[in-house]
Amino acid sequence: MIKVLRLGHRLGRDARISTHCGLVARAFGASGIVYSGDRDKKMMDSVKKVTGEWGGKFSVKYSSFKSTIKNFKGTKVHLTVYGIPIQKKINEVRKKRDILVIVGGEKVSGEIYHMADYNIAVTGQPHSEIAALGVFLHEYFQGRELEKRFPGAKLKVVPLDKGKKIKRI
Ligand code: SAM
């Protein structure tokens, strides 16, 4: 079971990027996301709405980062440009069953680096929490997430070579 913790959400500034962290977590095989920072019902509702329409089980919660990390019974993996390259650690991390993947926001408190069991970099270049999360989940699941099923979906894409088609179920 993989959960994601998105640190430091800011009302009015991070709605799109935090929503996308939730959508990527869900689509790429995590079972839920916890948001910390400013409480933002509208943003969280937009992630819940996607689950309602596109299926599967995915929890969306708000909590403080400290209690989330402290109470998580499993391995805490913080994604940061300052960490150890993912390719050196992913085989070890993949052996762990329950993982909390922590992604930052604009500013990440120094204590996170010490609360995490692993600090892992997805390249040594600064980029984005969304990209880091997507690559981490893909490396962790080794592509199996691409075949993930989403039971109870009301909407489903019909893959086409060209054009767009969505089926209502
Ligand atoms: N400057 C911030 C700080 O205090 O560290 C980080 C800002 S960055 C835009 C937001 C988040 O993207 C980071 O906290 C991290 O989770 C993720 N991120 C960015 N580049 C990364 C990389 N190369 N490897 C892993 N995660 C990365």
Side-chain angles (χ1 to χ4, degrees), residues 43-136:
M43 180 276 293
M44 288 171 57
D45 282 349
S46 71
V47 180
K48 287 179 191 167
K49 189 174 170 217
V50 170
T51 298
E53 291 180 333
W54 291 86
K57 271 194 169 181
F58 187 75
S59 64
V60 181
K61 291 186 179 145
Y62 173 84
S63 188
S64 81
F65 76 84
K66 277 191 186 163
S67 65
T68 303
I69 297 173
K70 273 189 188 152
N71 295 333
F72 188 80
K73 308 231 179 317
T75 304
K76 296 124 193 174
V77 177
H78 173 219
L79 302 182
T80 167
V81 67
Y82 305 109
I84 306 297
I86 187 168
Q87 59 274 29
K88 296 202 167 150
K89 287 285 176 190
I90 194 67
N91 289 340
E92 187 179 325
V93 172
R94 205 182 286 119
K95 290 182 187 138
K96 316 285 180 190
R97 212 177 141 63
D98 293 323
I99 295 182
L100 181 68
V101 186
I102 306 164
V103 292
E106 192 54 34
K107 180 100 191 80
V108 176
S109 159
E111 61 196 309
I112 298 287
Y113 294 79
H114 299 285
M115 294 174 91
D117 298 304
Y118 294 90
N119 288 289
I120 286 187
V122 178
T123 81
Q125 305 301 313
H127 49 84
S128 137
E129 47 274 56
I130 302 169
L133 180 59
V135 171
F136 175 83

Side-chain angles (χ1 to χ4, degrees), residues 16-42:
R16 191 170 151 80
I17 208 155
S18 291
T19 300
H20 285 192
C21 285
L23 298 186
V24 165
R26 175 186 167 276
F28 287 54
S31 59
I33 188 164
V34 179
Y35 291 102
S36 68
D38 295 340
R39 192 188 285 264
D40 189 341
K41 186 175 179 307
K42 195 173 158 207

